[in-house]
Amino acid sequence: VATSRASREAGHLVRLFAGKLDQIDPGFGFDLITLGASVAEKTDIVQTRLDGAAADGSDLARLIDRLTARLGAGAIRHPEQRASHIPERAETWVPALAAQKPDRRDTDAKPTQSETGFATRPLRLFDHPEEVRVLYAVPEGPPAQFVWRRIVHKVTRFAGPERIAPEWWQDLPGTRLRDYYRVEDHTGKRLWIYRDGLLGDNRGPTPRWFVHGVFA
C-alpha cells in the first residue's frame, strides 16, 4: 500500500490492507509477519480544532489513499501545473500518489480581473477547442455573430485580444499564433474564444475561430 502523504494513523494504514491480505495463500500458515516501511517521511505537528479534527487536508489525503488502494494507483489523478503559456499545456494530470511539486503561487491572491470585469482565464477549459462558424466579424476584433453548438450567439461586448504565440522550441514550423477574446453574448453567456492565425501570415488558409473555455 502507499499513501499520498506521510501518515502515522494505525487505523488508516490497517484499512488500506482491507481485501489485500485475503488474496494471500497462507499454505501451512506463517511463522512471522513483518510490516515494513520502504519510504519514511517526516510528519509535521498540526494543531487540531476543539473537536479533534485538523484543517490540514488530511481528510482528502485519506480519501485518496482509500480510493487508490481499491481502484489502483493509475485510476486516481490530480492536476499539476506545467511551465507553458499555451493554455491546454499549462496543466496536466498525474497520479495522486506522485510526489507533488511545491506550489509557489500566492494562495491568498484573488483571480485577476480585467478592466471590463471579466476574469482573464475561464474556470472551465475544454480539453479540445470547439470550432465555431462565423456569420459576421468585426474588423480587427472578434466575431459579431457566430454559430456554436447549433446556436447563434450575438456578441454584446468583448475584451481583448490577448495574443499567444506558439512555443517555437516544440511546435512545428508554420504553427499559427492565437488571438484570444473574452466575449459575452446576448444571453449573458461568457466565452473564451480565439482566432487561429492572421490574414496574410502565409501560414495557412483563412483563420478559423474556436471556443476554448466558458466563464462562470
Side-chain angles (χ1 to χ4, degrees), residues 58-206:
S58 57
D59 290 341
L60 176 60
R62 286 193 292 268
L63 174 61
I64 292 175
D65 296 343
R66 293 197 299 270
L67 292 175
T68 300
R70 175 172 295 186
L71 304 176
I76 310 301
R77 301 180 298 167
H78 70 82
E80 181 178 272
Q81 287 190 323
R82 307 180 86 182
S84 176
H85 63 267
I86 305 298
E88 63 269 23
R89 296 177 186 167
E91 187 176 87
T92 187
W93 289 90
V94 298
L97 293 183
Q100 298 187 25
K101 298 178 181 178
D103 191 351
R104 298 181 178 178
R105 296 175 299 169
D106 182 4
T107 56
D108 295 330
K110 297 180 180 180
T112 304
Q113 298 283 335
S114 65
E115 295 180 355
T116 59
F118 280 113
T120 56
R121 288 290 185 271
L123 291 178
R124 181 186 177 190
L125 192 70
F126 298 149
D127 290 336
H128 302 284
E130 301 180 9
E131 187 169 3
V132 301
R133 181 165 59 89
V134 176
L135 301 179
Y136 175 72
V138 177
E140 303 300 327
Q145 292 186 38
F146 60 90
V147 179
W148 175 52
R149 295 181 177 179
R150 301 182 181 181
I151 299 177
V152 176
H153 298 263
K154 299 179 181 179
V155 176
T156 57
R157 64 174 183 155
F158 70 91
E162 175 190 356
R163 180 159 295 180
I164 297 180
E167 294 179 332
W168 57 267
W169 56 94
Q170 62 175 332
D171 284 321
L172 296 174
T175 301
R176 311 179 86 170
L177 58 79
R178 303 174 183 177
D179 277 343
Y180 278 85
Y181 292 88
R182 303 182 297 275
V183 303
E184 181 177 311
D185 69 3
H186 62 290
T187 64
K189 182 184 295 293
R190 294 183 173 184
L191 307 171
W192 201 38
I193 68 175
Y194 73 88
R195 180 181 58 234
D196 186 42
L198 299 173
L199 285 174
D201 60 6
N202 298 321
R203 293 193 172 188
T206 303

Side-chain angles (χ1 to χ4, degrees), residues 17-36:
F17 284 97
K20 295 182 178 294
L21 300 181
D22 297 336
Q23 301 173 6
I24 300 176
D25 183 6
F28 293 102
F30 299 108
D31 293 329
L32 177 67
I33 296 178
T34 301
L35 175 64

